[in-house]
Amino acid sequence: MRPPVRLSGRQPLYTELARRVRREGVVILDAVIDPGGRVTEVEILRGLGLGLDEEVVDAVASWRFRPATLGGQPVAVVYTLTVRFELR
């Protein structure tokens, strides 16, 4: 099996509240990536709160992937993603 590869989509943005309190860390989520390379379901496994979890879900919905393949055929997979928030 070849895993999916992210091709495009916007990065999640900091919410004003999270920026004000200087929240940093990671949001970990499971996403179902369909055979067409689209994200169809998202489940937050570990969040940061302050609106960042919702921002990640919105951003990931815009992501497109080269789909996972099995025997050369595209297949749907559950893929664990990690999104890091760091203030610079």
Side-chain angles (χ1 to χ4, degrees):
M1 176 182 261
R2 296 184 79 172
V5 176
R6 182 175 164 206
L7 301 173
S8 65
R10 72 173 184 85
Q11 286 297 110
L13 302 174
Y14 256 99
T15 61
E16 187 56 38
L17 179 57
R19 185 179 307 284
R20 243 189 344 250
V21 300
R22 304 195 54 79
R23 174 70 54 100
E24 294 185 317
V26 296
V27 175
I28 300 173
L29 55 118
D30 275 348
V32 175
I33 301 170
D34 72 12
R38 289 184 168 71
V39 177
T40 60
E41 296 176 41
V42 176
E43 178 185 359
I44 299 289
L45 301 177
R46 187 172 86 192
L48 287 173
L50 302 177
L52 295 174
D53 304 341
E54 293 81 3
E55 175 59 24
V56 167
V57 170
D58 287 345
V60 168
S62 77
W63 292 6
R64 296 299 176 259
F65 290 82
R66 181 172 60 221
T69 57
L70 182 62
Q73 297 299 313
V75 294
V77 293
V78 176
Y79 198 56
T80 301
L81 300 165
T82 301
V83 178
R84 182 174 306 280
F85 284 93
E86 293 178 308
L87 292 168
R88 297 175 193 199

